[in-house]
Amino acid sequence: MRKKIVAGNWKMNKLQNEAKKLVNQVVALLQNSNLSDNKRVIFSPPSIYLEGVSLITNKEAFIHSCSQNIYSENSGAYTGELSAEMIKSVGCEYTLVGHSERRALFYETDIILAKKVSSALMQGVTPIFCCGELLAERNSKKHYDIIKAQIEGGLFHLTEDEFSNIIIAYEPVWAIGTGKTASSNQAQEMHAFIRGLVTAKYGNITSDNLTILYGGSCNPANAAELFSCPDVDGGLIGGASLVAEDFVKIIAAL
Ligand code: 13P
């Protein structure tokens, strides 16, 4: 059955004491919540805090930690990088791959991302694969082509078995950090399109089980409407995941 997930991507925010406080606050606020194997919460802190956050989340049945990035190799002369095997060794089970900030600021291409996805899966780490179009691409009606190319380029080398361990996050770049969220119609249309691509490639069972998150200015006021769309299975939250009460309100909208 398809999982519903709210994941918080902290990006490059919070100092160590603030990070610990935020996770502890959210976990405390979630003590009487309706989380279950089917409804999960994920924290994606800066990697320096991953071990500390994992120590807290691993005591909770339905709360997990997530790296914001990995490199595609397991070890070696790759100064500054960290591998799927390393994040796994500190208790982390998920990683973001291909966030638009990594694509734009760190020049990550589909070929690089496809290797990262495979490396994560090889180590039993679940990739949350991000895709999204620029405003100019949407305005020129190329948004479906862009998303199709990103999904095919980053994911369609996988076998059906491998693909069954993927989570996708649709994050229109024009909605990230802008306060300009996609309408629920825009989100639903794109999520249905993505699910259709997956059905065509891997069949109904795989696409039915695929979790597709929405990201981009998702907040306590708009989360319930977005999450009520049939193909929106939760959210990848940036700014609003940095405030415990806001993040918990978004989780409550699952
Ligand atoms: P905001 O929620 O701040 O728009 O960020 C979304 C995002 O990029 C999550 O990965």
Side-chain angles (χ1 to χ4, degrees):
M1 185 139 110
R2 198 188 297 173
K3 287 185 172 45
K4 304 247 177 205
I5 296 173
V6 169
N9 173 12
W10 296 2
K11 310 191 180 183
M12 197 174 76
N13 291 294
K14 301 285 177 192
L15 299 181
Q16 188 189 38
N17 57 335
E18 298 166 334
K20 200 169 164 195
K21 188 170 159 205
L22 177 56
V23 183
N24 279 325
Q25 273 179 327
V26 173
V27 169
L29 287 168
L30 289 176
Q31 281 318 306
N32 297 314
S33 68
N34 60 350
L35 291 183
S36 63
D37 192 39
N38 220 35
K39 281 191 184 177
R40 297 185 177 194
V41 170
I42 296 176
F43 292 97
S44 193
S47 46
I48 193 168
Y49 312 136
L50 210 44
E51 181 174 10
V53 169
S54 301
L55 282 172
I56 300 170
T57 57
N58 287 346
K59 292 195 196 117
E60 306 294 321
F62 310 115
I63 308 180
H64 304 270
S65 63
C66 176
S67 180
Q68 293 178 13
N69 182 36
I70 53 161
Y71 190 59
S72 51
E73 303 298 322
N74 277 341
S75 61
Y78 306 103
T79 301
E81 295 296 320
L82 79 172
S83 68
E85 196 175 23
M86 289 173 179
I87 66 162
K88 185 87 194 244
S89 76
V90 300
C92 173
E93 293 163 290
Y94 294 80
T95 183
L96 302 184
V97 176
H99 190 281
S100 62
E101 288 147 21
R102 302 253 7 133
R103 291 177 190 259
L105 302 173
F106 303 99
Y107 311 108
E108 294 193 353
T109 61
D110 290 339
I111 294 169
I112 292 172
L113 299 177
K115 285 190 192 156
K116 290 187 176 196
V117 165
S118 290
S119 178
L121 290 172
M122 196 92 79
Q123 298 302 328
V125 170
T126 302
I128 302 179
F129 181 83
C130 305
C131 58
E133 82 284 358
L134 304 171
L135 186 58
E137 291 164 342
R138 177 166 280 266
N139 287 342
S140 57
K141 310 228 180 312
K142 293 205 185 88
H143 45 305
Y144 288 114
D145 293 342
I146 295 292
I147 299 304
K148 183 168 186 267
Q150 289 177 352
I151 300 236
E152 286 178 352
L155 295 175
F156 277 8
H157 62 294
L158 300 174
T159 63
E160 187 182 340
D161 214 33
E162 288 169 334
F163 193 91
S164 65
N165 293 309
I166 293 288
I167 293 167
I168 291 179
Y170 169 58
E171 299 202 303
V173 180
W174 47 270
I176 294 179
T178 58
K180 207 174 148 204
T181 188
S183 68
S184 50
N185 276 348
Q186 287 171 321
Q188 169 55 28
E189 271 172 13
M190 188 56 87
H191 283 226
F193 174 75
I194 293 169
R195 207 177 298 284
L197 292 175
V198 174
T199 307
K201 171 83 177 167
Y202 295 107
N204 274 322
I205 297 175
T206 305
S207 70
D208 270 355
N209 285 330
L210 171 68
T211 297
I212 310 178
L213 308 179
Y214 168 80
S217 298
C218 187
N219 61 42
N222 59 30
E225 188 182 336
L226 285 160
F227 298 170
S228 70
C229 299
D231 287 296
V232 178
D233 307 310
L236 179 54
I237 319 300
S241 73
L242 298 172
V243 178
E245 291 77 9
D246 287 351
F247 192 49
V248 169
K249 279 184 196 152
I250 294 172
I251 295 163
L254 257 191

